[in-house]
Amino acid sequence: MAGEPRRCTGCGQALSRYNREPRCSPCSRLLVVAEPPPARVPEYVWQDADVVTAMRDGDFGPALARVRRLASLRQEEMARVTGLSQPFLSALESGSRRLTHYDKIVTVLERLGVPEHALPQLFASRAPGPVEAHRPHPASVREPELLEPWESPLDVARRLNGTISSNTDPATLGLLTEQVGSIVDRYEADGPHKLGPRTAELRNFIQTLLEGRQPPRQRTELFRLAAQASGLLSYMAVNAGHEANAEAYSTEALQLALEVDDSELAMWIFGTRSLGAYYAGRYDQALEWADAGLAIDRCNAQAIRLLANGRARALGKLGDATGARRAIAEAEELSSEYRLPDGLTPCISFAPYSIPRTLANAATAHVALGNTREVMQYAEQVDELVEQSDSSWSRALVRLDVATAMLADPQPDVEHAMTLGMQALAAGGGPSIRSVVQRAGELHTTAAAWQELPAVRDYAEALRSWHNAPLTRAVSDSAKMALASDSRNGRAPGAAHSRHQRVSPRTATGPG
């Protein structure tokens, strides 16, 4: 059954559906098109078993397709009959869409004139009459397939507000970043014992924020700040001699850094782990941690720290002179490829090592190897910057390295070495850290071969007085492993030195 064509209301001329002109061609009147009446569905259609079954089951796609074929209707005609758009009707018949909106179902059933026996089961239990009269009470319509699919605009707004809401504003992130920077800047002046509680308080505050809600970018920054704070606590614990705390903090820091794919921070944390193993006398482990960090990105500027502080110094303690030299050379070559910070960077800084900091670590590596000449060369290169820096630790450590190297010389200058040791104790008179305490003790042990000399006895007495300070005594209790480790490696400090030493009356020069 075909639908009537549209006709001009003026002359009655049939109009082509492809003709979009605003005037009727025969009479040239403006078109006032009379839409043909919608086609009717013949009664016999509702006697078809397949139509009735599909309609009663609410399977409207196959039902409408079957009705249309039986009534010989084109799809556009069926769309006018049902009140559905032709694209939606097409999708409905193909099964890619479903008819679930209650009001639309009612409209379609009314316009098709579906009889009682073919009504969907939702309506079939009602008395005969117009479909609208069979509209069930709202409480009985809450069938899953007929639920209203749209949320209210207010619900959408509430969800959006909850999704992007944050307990951390940009100003707070800025202040937290400044706090991390302040701790780094103050570290060598205040030390781990004073700054440790402040850093732990900062870490706990960041954790409080992390337990709230933030958009992804803010949350990523909070993860990074948390990793930095835990990393600082790990470094401080190493310097304070608390190995278990250092390991716990570094484990936490590394996991947080990896969660936000911060490879540079992860490399820094591996460097701190290597440092902790080094001062615990576990040089093989120190080397492994350094190599784990280098495996992330050996060309990254953070690799300079891992090569000079981690790999070279551990290899020096293990007696691998060739490996230590290669690590130092690689660190120096990598330094030439980057624009690095000026001066002597803070030892705890997240920035890449500056060149003077790398050279100072190279000197320490050669101390363990007994290479006095190389130690003196590196020390002379950084001497001026060390003396001008605010780091009393750096001044103490360089003097102790040079003093220990002097005792390893074929013609040891014991008196000069002890003078440098005394100066190191004075330079390290600030907050005590494990590295200064340990190396001061190593110098004393190495000088024991000349213990009858007044300069050596004076240094021993000064060292005892220095150890009496409460914080120094606390740190020194955890820094007693390096000398025993050296003995295990077949290097008894001082034992190989000639007793025919050259004792110089010179005052301290050079790095001292």
Side-chain angles (χ1 to χ4, degrees):
M1 164 176 144
E4 293 289 333
R6 297 186 304 167
R7 295 183 179 276
C8 174
T9 54
C11 67
Q13 173 68 40
L15 300 173
S16 169
R17 58 179 166 175
Y18 303 110
N19 183 10
R20 297 178 180 271
E21 294 296 326
R23 293 181 182 275
C24 173
S25 297
C27 67
S28 299
R29 292 170 59 110
L30 286 173
L31 291 177
V32 180
V33 178
E35 289 288 342
R40 299 296 298 174
V41 177
E43 292 296 328
Y44 66 81
V45 170
W46 306 116
Q47 305 306 315
D48 183 81
D50 291 338
V51 170
V52 173
T53 300
M55 192 66 74
R56 286 183 60 81
D57 291 342
D59 201 357
F60 297 110
L64 295 180
R66 179 71 173 166
V67 168
R68 186 170 62 80
R69 284 193 292 271
L70 291 173
S72 300
L73 297 175
R74 296 193 304 272
Q75 207 170 62
E76 62 182 31
E77 294 171 327
M78 190 64 171
R80 285 200 300 272
V81 171
T82 59
L84 301 174
S85 69
Q86 184 176 345
F88 181 81
L89 178 62
S90 177
L92 193 64
E93 291 185 1
S94 68
S96 61
R97 297 287 299 273
R98 294 187 62 201
L99 184 61
T100 59
H101 194 289
Y102 178 78
D103 289 336
K104 282 189 176 181
I105 293 174
V106 170
T107 300
V108 168
L109 296 177
E110 288 179 337
R111 296 182 67 154
L112 286 172
V114 179
E116 173 68 19
H117 73 276
L119 284 175
Q121 293 179 8
L122 178 64
F123 305 100
S125 61
R126 299 290 180 173
V131 174
E132 184 61 30
H134 297 293
R135 190 185 294 269
H137 188 276
S140 66
V141 186
R142 297 299 181 182
E143 300 278 339
E145 68 273 17
L146 297 178
L147 286 178
E148 168 64 62
W150 301 106
E151 301 169 277
S152 74
L154 180 58
D155 289 337
V156 176
R158 284 174 178 155
R159 184 173 64 232
L160 176 61
N161 182 66
T163 302
I164 66 174
S165 64
S166 175
N167 63 342
T168 309
D169 56 34
T172 300
L173 289 174
L175 289 173
L176 293 175
T177 302
E178 290 178 4
Q179 284 295 303
V180 170
S182 174
I183 290 170
V184 170
D185 292 340
R186 293 294 307 165
Y187 182 63
E188 296 198 14
D190 294 343
H193 301 284
K194 182 175 181 180
L195 286 180
R198 173 182 165 187
T199 308
E201 182 181 9
L202 173 64
R203 175 65 184 88
N204 288 328
F205 177 68
I206 296 172
Q207 185 64 32
T208 300
L209 296 177
L210 280 171
E211 291 169 0
R213 182 193 296 271
Q214 307 88 28
R217 281 178 292 183
Q218 288 185 349
R219 192 161 185 81
T220 296
E221 188 57 30
L222 277 178
F223 262 73
R224 182 174 291 105
L225 287 165
Q228 288 179 335
S230 294
L232 293 175
L233 286 167
S234 177
Y235 197 102
M236 293 178 189
V238 170
N239 283 166
H242 300 303
E243 295 176 19
N245 295 80
E247 180 62 23
Y249 283 129
S250 68
T251 299
E252 179 181 55
L254 182 61
Q255 186 61 45
L256 292 170
L258 293 176
E259 283 292 327
V260 293
D261 296 324
D262 193 331
S263 57
E264 291 190 1
L265 183 54
M267 292 175 73
W268 184 95
I269 295 164
F270 274 118
T272 299
R273 281 188 153 180
S274 177
L275 182 75
Y278 176 87
Y279 281 115
R282 300 192 301 270
Y283 304 123
D284 287 323
Q285 182 67 72
L287 185 61
E288 289 178 13
W289 286 133
D291 286 344
L294 288 169
I296 295 176
D297 186 356
R298 204 178 186 97
C299 296
N300 190 285
Q302 284 291 340
I304 300 170
R305 174 192 296 266
L306 291 162
L307 288 164
N309 183 275
R311 187 169 175 77
R313 299 203 316 173
L315 288 170
K317 285 291 189 180
L318 293 169
D320 185 350
T322 301
R325 284 193 171 91
R326 285 176 178 169
I328 293 169
E330 188 176 351
E332 291 178 342
E333 181 179 357
L334 190 58
S335 297
S336 68
E337 298 176 6
Y338 287 93
R339 183 174 181 177
L340 301 173
D342 295 327
L344 197 67
T345 49
C347 60
I348 203 172
S349 173
F350 292 110
Y353 261 15
S354 65
I355 291 176
R357 179 64 68 184
T358 298
L359 297 178
N361 278 271
T364 303
H366 282 289
V367 170
L369 294 167
N371 297 330
T372 303
R373 183 173 62 85
E374 285 87 346
V375 174
M376 299 298 292
Q377 289 175 344
Y378 283 118
E380 288 172 359
Q381 291 182 66
V382 300
D383 178 56
E384 185 176 351
L385 286 173
V386 169
E387 291 304 308
Q388 293 174 355
S389 76
D390 297 329
S391 175
S392 59
W393 295 337
S394 295
R395 288 193 292 274
L397 290 171
V398 171
R399 287 186 173 98
L400 289 169
D401 279 349
V402 172
T404 304
M406 284 182 170
L407 297 182
D409 191 78
Q411 293 184 320
D413 191 340
V414 179
E415 185 174 309
H416 192 187
M418 294 301 97
T419 300
L420 291 175
M422 297 285 280
Q423 292 175 354
L425 296 181
S432 298
I433 59 171
R434 189 174 190 176
S435 55
V436 176
V437 172
Q438 185 169 306
R439 287 194 223 174
E442 288 176 353
L443 176 62
H444 174 254
T445 302
T446 305
W450 301 278
Q451 59 185 340
E452 74 279 3
L453 295 177
V456 176
R457 293 197 298 269
D458 289 346
Y459 176 74
E461 183 60 34
L463 185 62
R464 279 191 292 272
S465 298
W466 186 63
H467 275 171
N468 283 334
L471 288 180
T472 306
R473 188 165 56 250
V475 174
S476 65
D477 288 341
S478 65
K480 298 177 179 177
M481 71 296 172
L483 298 177
S485 178
D486 282 341
S487 298
R488 287 194 300 270
N489 290 328
R491 299 180 57 248
H497 298 314
S498 169
R499 297 299 302 274
H500 302 289
Q501 72 281 3
R502 177 173 58 87
V503 181
S504 171
R506 292 181 291 135
T507 56
T509 59

